Amino acid sequence: MKRTALVLLALLLPLFLFSERDETQDAVEALLESVDLSEWDAWLSENGMEGVALPSEILTSLANLQKPFAADLCARDLVSALKPSFGSLLAGTALFVGLAAFGAALQGISEASPVGETAGAAFRIGVSAVVLVVSMTGIRSAFSAITALEHTAELLLPVIVGYLTLTGLENTALLLPVSHALLNDVVLRLIETCAAPLAITGGVLLTLDVNGIGRLSSVGRLMQRAAKWILTTACSVYLIVTTVRSVAAASADSLLMKTTKLAAGSIPAIGSLLSESVDAAYQCMRLIRNALGLTGCTVLILIAAKPVVSVFLTRCSLRASALLSEPLSGKPYAELLRGMGDTLHILLLCELAALAMSLLMLAPVIGMRG
């Protein structure tokens, strides 16, 4: 039945799409009209991306082999967009280094005082609270990024699966929901309920154990290693399973297209014309499919870019502060900052892993060959 439908499509396309001078462009425009990205545009605007090109504009630009973004985008625009983030980076570094200097001064003054130990304990508790409060912004950004990627991938699927089904690529269309279910129900669930909470709990324990020599510090580092192991295992399993399924689905769809072209070419007298028509129609559908897949990948990257940059800069602030503060306040305070920096590093890996696996889910749409 599917072969018959493709042959009929090949017979009709030369009459309706290839009758004018710019037949290829007419075919591309006709296919673009069948793709509705209004929900993608609304979702991107709701997540604070009003200044960038909308998905519908990106799709049209990619399909017409044009640049998807404005030509006047320059380095100054990039610097102005990142300026607030770098301001928060410098402010956090100045805060942590200032606390280190205050701790060094407090330690020097209270050495000869009977209340020195009490003052030191109060300082350590206050510093731990400040580090936890400042790091909470990066933790919230990481969780919000993973949740946004999960919802964005769910929003991308209906349009892409519908277009693949419309163009006869049923095996790839069936693959995407299965890959999405594996990603959401298993991998992202492990990240949200196991890897990220273990990393955060380990960072809190490292922060509370200011001296870095108690049991809390050992348990915290063990939790961070467990979080990395869970993240690595889940991503590896998803990578292997999705790659094998993608290759199988792409091979099946390519075989269907090749047999359709052979069947059209075997018709006497007009077989060559039909074969060329099928090939031209498939190239037009393939162009729109690749543009749609690239647009979906662009939407995922735009959604994840801001939280990833926020967590990365917060981690850089903690690591730089640890390096600068160690000569002032000693190793315990620096280890406290490094411990929370390692926590944000694991959360950053969780964000990047969620983004990479979401892009891998859409890879069969772009990587298929005829």
Side-chain angles (χ1 to χ4, degrees), residues 184-244:
N184 276 15
D185 298 340
V186 179
V187 180
L188 292 183
R189 200 64 60 227
L190 282 175
I191 291 177
E192 292 175 347
T193 59
C194 295
L198 280 175
I200 295 171
T201 305
V204 171
L205 293 179
L206 287 171
T207 304
L208 295 178
D209 188 8
V210 183
N211 294 325
I213 57 176
R215 293 184 177 179
L216 293 180
S217 177
S218 301
V219 174
R221 296 192 184 281
L222 178 61
M223 287 185 171
Q224 289 183 343
R225 287 195 294 268
K228 291 181 179 179
W229 183 85
I230 293 173
L231 180 63
T232 304
T233 304
C235 293
S236 301
V237 172
Y238 179 81
L239 173 64
I240 295 173
V241 173
T242 304
T243 302
V244 173

Tab-separated table of all heavy atoms in Angstrom, residues 184-244:
chain	number	residue	atom	x	y	z
A	184	ASN	N	12.734	10.125	28.529
A	184	ASN	CA	11.984	10.765	29.616
A	184	ASN	C	11.738	9.837	30.797
A	184	ASN	O	11.923	10.224	31.958
A	184	ASN	CB	10.634	11.272	29.078
A	184	ASN	CG	10.764	12.632	28.425
A	184	ASN	OD1	11.864	13.072	28.121
A	184	ASN	ND2	9.658	13.278	28.188
A	185	ASP	N	11.316	8.611	30.506
A	185	ASP	CA	10.895	7.707	31.584
A	185	ASP	C	12.049	7.031	32.301
A	185	ASP	O	11.877	6.565	33.438
A	185	ASP	CB	9.950	6.635	31.025
A	185	ASP	CG	8.675	7.232	30.451
A	185	ASP	OD1	8.359	8.382	30.827
A	185	ASP	OD2	8.018	6.571	29.622
A	186	VAL	N	13.213	6.951	31.655
A	186	VAL	CA	14.340	6.234	32.265
A	186	VAL	C	15.512	7.180	32.544
A	186	VAL	O	15.890	7.410	33.696
A	186	VAL	CB	14.798	5.060	31.373
A	186	VAL	CG1	15.984	4.340	32.011
A	186	VAL	CG2	13.648	4.079	31.144
A	187	VAL	N	16.075	7.756	31.477
A	187	VAL	CA	17.331	8.497	31.623
A	187	VAL	C	17.117	9.791	32.408
A	187	VAL	O	17.773	10.031	33.435
A	187	VAL	CB	17.942	8.777	30.241
A	187	VAL	CG1	19.253	9.538	30.400
A	187	VAL	CG2	18.186	7.481	29.488
A	188	LEU	N	16.209	10.648	31.939
A	188	LEU	CA	15.976	11.907	32.647
A	188	LEU	C	15.400	11.686	34.041
A	188	LEU	O	15.660	12.466	34.958
A	188	LEU	CB	15.035	12.797	31.829
A	188	LEU	CG	15.601	13.337	30.509
A	188	LEU	CD1	14.603	14.261	29.842
A	188	LEU	CD2	16.928	14.054	30.730
A	189	ARG	N	14.629	10.620	34.198
A	189	ARG	CA	14.110	10.313	35.534
A	189	ARG	C	15.242	9.934	36.483
A	189	ARG	O	15.249	10.329	37.650
A	189	ARG	CB	13.101	9.173	35.451
A	189	ARG	CG	12.161	9.085	36.621
A	189	ARG	CD	11.257	10.302	36.719
A	189	ARG	NE	10.433	10.474	35.542
A	189	ARG	CZ	10.252	11.610	34.892
A	189	ARG	NH1	10.849	12.717	35.331
A	189	ARG	NH2	9.482	11.692	33.832
A	190	LEU	N	16.227	9.176	35.986
A	190	LEU	CA	17.391	8.846	36.819
A	190	LEU	C	18.193	10.098	37.166
A	190	LEU	O	18.689	10.238	38.289
A	190	LEU	CB	18.279	7.835	36.092
A	190	LEU	CG	17.815	6.370	36.094
A	190	LEU	CD1	18.738	5.531	35.217
A	190	LEU	CD2	17.791	5.822	37.510
A	191	ILE	N	18.316	10.991	36.207
A	191	ILE	CA	19.066	12.223	36.463
A	191	ILE	C	18.350	13.079	37.506
A	191	ILE	O	18.977	13.605	38.444
A	191	ILE	CB	19.263	13.000	35.144
A	191	ILE	CG1	20.213	12.246	34.215
A	191	ILE	CG2	19.805	14.399	35.423
A	191	ILE	CD1	20.401	12.898	32.872
A	192	GLU	N	17.042	13.232	37.370
A	192	GLU	CA	16.289	14.114	38.265
A	192	GLU	C	16.105	13.526	39.661
A	192	GLU	O	16.030	14.283	40.638
A	192	GLU	CB	14.916	14.407	37.657
A	192	GLU	CG	14.978	15.258	36.396
A	192	GLU	CD	13.620	15.444	35.750
A	192	GLU	OE1	12.683	14.718	36.132
A	192	GLU	OE2	13.501	16.310	34.873
A	193	THR	N	16.025	12.199	39.761
A	193	THR	CA	15.732	11.588	41.065
A	193	THR	C	16.949	10.963	41.737
A	193	THR	O	16.901	10.709	42.945
A	193	THR	CB	14.650	10.503	40.915
A	193	THR	OG1	15.105	9.494	40.008
A	193	THR	CG2	13.362	11.106	40.378
A	194	CYS	N	18.021	10.714	40.984
A	194	CYS	CA	19.198	10.050	41.571
A	194	CYS	C	20.468	10.878	41.425
A	194	CYS	O	21.071	11.286	42.425
A	194	CYS	CB	19.396	8.667	40.927
A	194	CYS	SG	18.054	7.503	41.262
A	195	ALA	N	20.889	11.132	40.194
A	195	ALA	CA	22.190	11.768	39.966
A	195	ALA	C	22.245	13.178	40.542
A	195	ALA	O	23.135	13.510	41.339
A	195	ALA	CB	22.505	11.782	38.466
A	196	ALA	N	21.292	14.028	40.154
A	196	ALA	CA	21.313	15.412	40.642
A	196	ALA	C	21.105	15.508	42.157
A	196	ALA	O	21.849	16.235	42.834
A	196	ALA	CB	20.255	16.232	39.895
A	197	PRO	N	20.123	14.810	42.771
A	197	PRO	CA	20.002	14.880	44.239
A	197	PRO	C	21.232	14.369	44.978
A	197	PRO	O	21.606	14.932	46.017
A	197	PRO	CB	18.774	14.002	44.531
A	197	PRO	CG	17.962	14.057	43.292
A	197	PRO	CD	18.965	14.099	42.185
A	198	LEU	N	21.872	13.304	44.465
A	198	LEU	CA	23.092	12.817	45.113
A	198	LEU	C	24.197	13.865	45.053
A	198	LEU	O	24.917	14.083	46.043
A	198	LEU	CB	23.555	11.522	44.440
A	198	LEU	CG	22.837	10.237	44.854
A	198	LEU	CD1	23.321	9.068	44.003
A	198	LEU	CD2	23.064	9.927	46.329
A	199	ALA	N	24.339	14.512	43.901
A	199	ALA	CA	25.370	15.547	43.778
A	199	ALA	C	25.092	16.722	44.710
A	199	ALA	O	26.016	17.243	45.365
A	199	ALA	CB	25.452	16.016	42.325
A	200	ILE	N	23.836	17.135	44.800
A	200	ILE	CA	23.493	18.268	45.665
A	200	ILE	C	23.697	17.906	47.136
A	200	ILE	O	24.248	18.700	47.912
A	200	ILE	CB	22.044	18.699	45.393
A	200	ILE	CG1	21.921	19.235	43.970
A	200	ILE	CG2	21.608	19.763	46.390
A	200	ILE	CD1	20.492	19.486	43.543
A	201	THR	N	23.257	16.711	47.528
A	201	THR	CA	23.442	16.288	48.917
A	201	THR	C	24.922	16.196	49.273
A	201	THR	O	25.339	16.608	50.365
A	201	THR	CB	22.759	14.927	49.152
A	201	THR	OG1	21.388	15.017	48.758
A	201	THR	CG2	22.837	14.525	50.614
A	202	GLY	N	25.710	15.662	48.340
A	202	GLY	CA	27.153	15.602	48.589
A	202	GLY	C	27.764	16.979	48.737
A	202	GLY	O	28.623	17.207	49.607
A	203	GLY	N	27.325	17.941	47.909
A	203	GLY	CA	27.844	19.305	48.046
A	203	GLY	C	27.453	19.953	49.355
A	203	GLY	O	28.254	20.671	49.968
A	204	VAL	N	26.223	19.698	49.818
A	204	VAL	CA	25.789	20.248	51.107
A	204	VAL	C	26.617	19.664	52.247
A	204	VAL	O	27.034	20.386	53.170
A	204	VAL	CB	24.283	19.972	51.313
A	204	VAL	CG1	23.866	20.333	52.732
A	204	VAL	CG2	23.459	20.747	50.303
A	205	LEU	N	26.877	18.361	52.205
A	205	LEU	CA	27.693	17.744	53.255
A	205	LEU	C	29.112	18.298	53.236
A	205	LEU	O	29.710	18.541	54.299
A	205	LEU	CB	27.711	16.225	53.065
A	205	LEU	CG	26.378	15.505	53.293
A	205	LEU	CD1	26.531	14.006	53.043
A	205	LEU	CD2	25.861	15.749	54.707
A	206	LEU	N	29.670	18.491	52.056
A	206	LEU	CA	31.007	19.089	51.976
A	206	LEU	C	31.013	20.513	52.504
A	206	LEU	O	31.993	20.957	53.117
A	206	LEU	CB	31.495	19.066	50.524
A	206	LEU	CG	31.902	17.699	49.965
A	206	LEU	CD1	32.141	17.789	48.466
A	206	LEU	CD2	33.148	17.190	50.661
A	207	THR	N	29.920	21.230	52.282
A	207	THR	CA	29.844	22.605	52.776
A	207	THR	C	29.703	22.653	54.293
A	207	THR	O	30.306	23.501	54.965
A	207	THR	CB	28.653	23.324	52.118
A	207	THR	OG1	28.784	23.252	50.700
A	207	THR	CG2	28.590	24.774	52.539
A	208	LEU	N	28.931	21.738	54.849
A	208	LEU	CA	28.747	21.718	56.298
A	208	LEU	C	30.016	21.274	57.021
A	208	LEU	O	30.289	21.722	58.139
A	208	LEU	CB	27.588	20.784	56.660
A	208	LEU	CG	26.206	21.218	56.163
A	208	LEU	CD1	25.162	20.185	56.531
A	208	LEU	CD2	25.837	22.587	56.726
A	209	ASP	N	30.789	20.400	56.407
A	209	ASP	CA	32.038	19.939	57.014
A	209	ASP	C	33.158	20.880	56.570
A	209	ASP	O	33.925	20.598	55.657
A	209	ASP	CB	32.335	18.508	56.579
A	209	ASP	CG	33.512	17.909	57.339
A	209	ASP	OD1	33.985	18.553	58.293
A	209	ASP	OD2	33.955	16.817	56.968
A	210	VAL	N	33.229	22.026	57.226
A	210	VAL	CA	34.135	23.088	56.788
A	210	VAL	C	35.592	22.665	56.909
A	210	VAL	O	36.432	23.024	56.087
A	210	VAL	CB	33.878	24.377	57.597
A	210	VAL	CG1	34.748	25.502	57.097
A	210	VAL	CG2	32.410	24.759	57.508
A	211	ASN	N	35.933	21.885	57.930
A	211	ASN	CA	37.329	21.490	58.118
A	211	ASN	C	37.793	20.500	57.058
A	211	ASN	O	38.993	20.361	56.829
A	211	ASN	CB	37.522	20.869	59.510
A	211	ASN	CG	37.305	21.887	60.614
A	211	ASN	OD1	37.644	23.063	60.447
A	211	ASN	ND2	36.711	21.460	61.712
A	212	GLY	N	36.872	19.799	56.415
A	212	GLY	CA	37.242	18.880	55.357
A	212	GLY	C	37.881	17.593	55.825
A	212	GLY	O	38.439	16.855	55.022
A	213	ILE	N	37.819	17.288	57.125
A	213	ILE	CA	38.479	16.087	57.635
A	213	ILE	C	37.505	15.162	58.350
A	213	ILE	O	37.889	14.102	58.835
A	213	ILE	CB	39.619	16.469	58.600
A	213	ILE	CG1	39.080	17.317	59.751
A	213	ILE	CG2	40.727	17.206	57.861
A	213	ILE	CD1	40.128	17.646	60.806
A	214	GLY	N	36.218	15.550	58.415
A	214	GLY	CA	35.240	14.730	59.128
A	214	GLY	C	34.589	13.707	58.226
A	214	GLY	O	34.912	13.566	57.038
A	215	ARG	N	33.637	12.991	58.789
A	215	ARG	CA	32.935	11.961	58.023
A	215	ARG	C	32.004	12.565	56.980
A	215	ARG	O	31.753	11.948	55.949
A	215	ARG	CB	32.141	11.071	58.980
A	215	ARG	CG	33.011	10.230	59.904
A	215	ARG	CD	32.159	9.311	60.762
A	215	ARG	NE	33.000	8.457	61.602
A	215	ARG	CZ	32.520	7.562	62.462
A	215	ARG	NH1	31.208	7.415	62.593
A	215	ARG	NH2	33.347	6.821	63.189
A	216	LEU	N	31.485	13.757	57.260
A	216	LEU	CA	30.591	14.376	56.292
A	216	LEU	C	31.285	14.613	54.958
A	216	LEU	O	30.688	14.427	53.885
A	216	LEU	CB	30.062	15.709	56.849
A	216	LEU	CG	29.130	15.632	58.060
A	216	LEU	CD1	28.704	17.034	58.477
A	216	LEU	CD2	27.905	14.789	57.733
A	217	SER	N	32.535	15.007	55.015
A	217	SER	CA	33.289	15.245	53.781
A	217	SER	C	33.465	13.956	52.981
A	217	SER	O	33.279	13.936	51.762
A	217	SER	CB	34.654	15.847	54.121
A	217	SER	OG	35.424	16.022	52.947
A	218	SER	N	33.788	12.852	53.658
A	218	SER	CA	33.972	11.569	52.963
A	218	SER	C	32.669	11.083	52.338
A	218	SER	O	32.637	10.632	51.183
A	218	SER	CB	34.512	10.525	53.938
A	218	SER	OG	35.738	10.940	54.494
A	219	VAL	N	31.571	11.203	53.080
A	219	VAL	CA	30.274	10.781	52.551
A	219	VAL	C	29.858	11.662	51.374
A	219	VAL	O	29.315	11.174	50.371
A	219	VAL	CB	29.212	10.808	53.665
A	219	VAL	CG1	27.827	10.507	53.103
A	219	VAL	CG2	29.557	9.810	54.757
A	220	GLY	N	30.139	12.951	51.473
A	220	GLY	CA	29.792	13.862	50.382
A	220	GLY	C	30.529	13.529	49.093
A	220	GLY	O	29.932	13.512	48.014
A	221	ARG	N	31.807	13.234	49.185
A	221	ARG	CA	32.564	12.888	47.980
A	221	ARG	C	32.116	11.542	47.408
A	221	ARG	O	32.106	11.340	46.185
A	221	ARG	CB	34.055	12.862	48.294
A	221	ARG	CG	34.585	14.233	48.709
A	221	ARG	CD	36.098	14.275	48.748
A	221	ARG	NE	36.556	15.567	49.225
A	221	ARG	CZ	36.616	16.669	48.471
A	221	ARG	NH1	36.217	16.619	47.206
A	221	ARG	NH2	37.041	17.809	48.976
A	222	LEU	N	31.752	10.616	48.287
A	222	LEU	CA	31.226	9.340	47.816
A	222	LEU	C	29.920	9.546	47.046
A	222	LEU	O	29.697	8.908	45.996
A	222	LEU	CB	31.004	8.412	49.003
A	222	LEU	CG	30.413	7.029	48.684
A	222	LEU	CD1	31.352	6.253	47.766
A	222	LEU	CD2	30.147	6.253	49.971
A	223	MET	N	29.059	10.420	47.530
A	223	MET	CA	27.805	10.700	46.824
A	223	MET	C	28.066	11.345	45.471
A	223	MET	O	27.383	11.034	44.476
A	223	MET	CB	26.921	11.617	47.674
A	223	MET	CG	26.300	10.929	48.871
A	223	MET	SD	25.161	12.025	49.762
A	223	MET	CE	24.419	10.870	50.902
A	224	GLN	N	29.032	12.221	45.396
A	224	GLN	CA	29.346	12.840	44.111
A	224	GLN	C	29.877	11.819	43.115
A	224	GLN	O	29.525	11.851	41.928
A	224	GLN	CB	30.355	13.970	44.314
A	224	GLN	CG	29.776	15.188	45.010
A	224	GLN	CD	30.772	16.314	45.130
A	224	GLN	OE1	31.982	16.123	44.985
A	224	GLN	NE2	30.278	17.511	45.399
A	225	ARG	N	30.700	10.888	43.564
A	225	ARG	CA	31.183	9.837	42.658
A	225	ARG	C	30.038	8.940	42.207
A	225	ARG	O	29.991	8.512	41.039
A	225	ARG	CB	32.280	9.020	43.354
A	225	ARG	CG	33.596	9.745	43.500
A	225	ARG	CD	34.715	8.781	43.851
A	225	ARG	NE	34.514	8.190	45.172
A	225	ARG	CZ	35.007	8.702	46.292
A	225	ARG	NH1	35.716	9.825	46.251
A	225	ARG	NH2	34.796	8.113	47.457
A	226	ALA	N	29.096	8.642	43.105
A	226	ALA	CA	27.940	7.831	42.731
A	226	ALA	C	27.083	8.559	41.693
A	226	ALA	O	26.570	7.928	40.751
A	226	ALA	CB	27.110	7.502	43.966
A	227	ALA	N	26.934	9.863	41.835
A	227	ALA	CA	26.165	10.640	40.855
A	227	ALA	C	26.817	10.587	39.480
A	227	ALA	O	26.131	10.417	38.453
A	227	ALA	CB	26.032	12.084	41.334
A	228	LYS	N	28.130	10.718	39.425
A	228	LYS	CA	28.829	10.631	38.138
A	228	LYS	C	28.669	9.246	37.521
A	228	LYS	O	28.485	9.110	36.298
A	228	LYS	CB	30.313	10.955	38.326
A	228	LYS	CG	30.610	12.403	38.669
A	228	LYS	CD	32.096	12.637	38.816
A	228	LYS	CE	32.409	14.080	39.144
A	228	LYS	NZ	33.880	14.301	39.312
A	229	TRP	N	28.733	8.208	38.350
A	229	TRP	CA	28.604	6.847	37.827
A	229	TRP	C	27.206	6.619	37.252
A	229	TRP	O	27.055	6.026	36.175
A	229	TRP	CB	28.890	5.849	38.942
A	229	TRP	CG	28.857	4.426	38.492
A	229	TRP	CD1	29.869	3.713	37.932
A	229	TRP	CD2	27.719	3.541	38.557
A	229	TRP	NE1	29.446	2.432	37.641
A	229	TRP	CE2	28.134	2.301	38.008
A	229	TRP	CE3	26.418	3.670	39.021
A	229	TRP	CZ2	27.276	1.200	37.917
A	229	TRP	CZ3	25.552	2.588	38.910
A	229	TRP	CH2	25.989	1.371	38.375
A	230	ILE	N	26.176	7.061	37.949
A	230	ILE	CA	24.802	6.907	37.455
A	230	ILE	C	24.620	7.664	36.147
A	230	ILE	O	24.029	7.149	35.179
A	230	ILE	CB	23.801	7.381	38.516
A	230	ILE	CG1	23.824	6.449	39.731
A	230	ILE	CG2	22.385	7.459	37.939
A	230	ILE	CD1	22.982	6.945	40.890
A	231	LEU	N	25.134	8.888	36.080
A	231	LEU	CA	24.999	9.692	34.868
A	231	LEU	C	25.707	9.036	33.685
A	231	LEU	O	25.151	8.944	32.580
A	231	LEU	CB	25.557	11.095	35.122
A	231	LEU	CG	25.507	12.081	33.960
A	231	LEU	CD1	24.066	12.353	33.556
A	231	LEU	CD2	26.214	13.380	34.330
A	232	THR	N	26.918	8.548	33.905
A	232	THR	CA	27.679	7.911	32.827
A	232	THR	C	26.999	6.636	32.339
A	232	THR	O	26.887	6.399	31.126
A	232	THR	CB	29.105	7.595	33.305
A	232	THR	OG1	29.732	8.804	33.767
A	232	THR	CG2	29.922	6.994	32.186
A	233	THR	N	26.517	5.816	33.259
A	233	THR	CA	25.875	4.556	32.879
A	233	THR	C	24.593	4.801	32.096
A	233	THR	O	24.351	4.172	31.046
A	233	THR	CB	25.579	3.718	34.129
A	233	THR	OG1	26.793	3.503	34.864
A	233	THR	CG2	24.984	2.373	33.743
A	234	ALA	N	23.746	5.699	32.586
A	234	ALA	CA	22.478	5.970	31.911
A	234	ALA	C	22.706	6.526	30.510
A	234	ALA	O	22.040	6.106	29.544
A	234	ALA	CB	21.650	6.942	32.747
A	235	CYS	N	23.642	7.452	30.366
A	235	CYS	CA	23.907	8.037	29.046
A	235	CYS	C	24.493	7.005	28.081
A	235	CYS	O	24.154	6.989	26.892
A	235	CYS	CB	24.847	9.225	29.185
A	235	CYS	SG	24.142	10.631	30.068
A	236	SER	N	25.361	6.139	28.574
A	236	SER	CA	25.968	5.122	27.707
A	236	SER	C	24.922	4.138	27.188
A	236	SER	O	24.906	3.800	25.998
A	236	SER	CB	27.065	4.383	28.475
A	236	SER	OG	28.068	5.270	28.914
A	237	VAL	N	24.038	3.683	28.085
A	237	VAL	CA	22.993	2.747	27.659
A	237	VAL	C	22.067	3.397	26.638
A	237	VAL	O	21.723	2.794	25.607
A	237	VAL	CB	22.201	2.249	28.889
A	237	VAL	CG1	20.985	1.437	28.452
A	237	VAL	CG2	23.096	1.412	29.785
A	238	TYR	N	21.671	4.641	26.887
A	238	TYR	CA	20.788	5.329	25.942
A	238	TYR	C	21.480	5.527	24.600
A	238	TYR	O	20.848	5.378	23.530
A	238	TYR	CB	20.365	6.673	26.521
A	238	TYR	CG	19.461	7.465	25.607
A	238	TYR	CD1	18.102	7.189	25.550
A	238	TYR	CD2	19.970	8.471	24.808
A	238	TYR	CE1	17.270	7.911	24.711
A	238	TYR	CE2	19.144	9.195	23.958
A	238	TYR	CZ	17.799	8.915	23.914
A	238	TYR	OH	16.980	9.624	23.069
A	239	LEU	N	22.761	5.863	24.620
A	239	LEU	CA	23.506	6.071	23.377
A	239	LEU	C	23.546	4.797	22.546
A	239	LEU	O	23.282	4.815	21.336
A	239	LEU	CB	24.921	6.548	23.702
A	239	LEU	CG	25.897	6.664	22.526
A	239	LEU	CD1	25.411	7.730	21.549
A	239	LEU	CD2	27.294	6.997	23.020
A	240	ILE	N	23.846	3.681	23.172
A	240	ILE	CA	23.956	2.414	22.435
A	240	ILE	C	22.611	1.996	21.863
A	240	ILE	O	22.487	1.660	20.671
A	240	ILE	CB	24.533	1.328	23.362
A	240	ILE	CG1	25.974	1.676	23.764
A	240	ILE	CG2	24.493	-0.028	22.672
A	240	ILE	CD1	26.555	0.756	24.814
A	241	VAL	N	21.567	2.024	22.701
A	241	VAL	CA	20.243	1.572	22.257
A	241	VAL	C	19.704	2.463	21.144
A	241	VAL	O	19.202	1.975	20.112
A	241	VAL	CB	19.267	1.530	23.453
A	241	VAL	CG1	17.849	1.229	22.984
A	241	VAL	CG2	19.722	0.494	24.463
A	242	THR	N	19.822	3.774	21.297
A	242	THR	CA	19.280	4.692	20.301
A	242	THR	C	20.048	4.610	18.988
A	242	THR	O	19.448	4.682	17.902
A	242	THR	CB	19.320	6.123	20.844
A	242	THR	OG1	18.624	6.189	22.094
A	242	THR	CG2	18.668	7.086	19.880
A	243	THR	N	21.361	4.451	19.059
A	243	THR	CA	22.152	4.344	17.833
A	243	THR	C	21.770	3.109	17.029
A	243	THR	O	21.590	3.173	15.803
A	243	THR	CB	23.646	4.315	18.178
A	243	THR	OG1	23.997	5.499	18.897
A	243	THR	CG2	24.482	4.238	16.914
A	244	VAL	N	21.647	1.973	17.705
A	244	VAL	CA	21.284	0.730	17.005
A	244	VAL	C	19.899	0.857	16.378
A	244	VAL	O	19.686	0.495	15.200
A	244	VAL	CB	21.343	-0.462	17.980
A	244	VAL	CG1	20.798	-1.718	17.323
A	244	VAL	CG2	22.776	-0.695	18.444
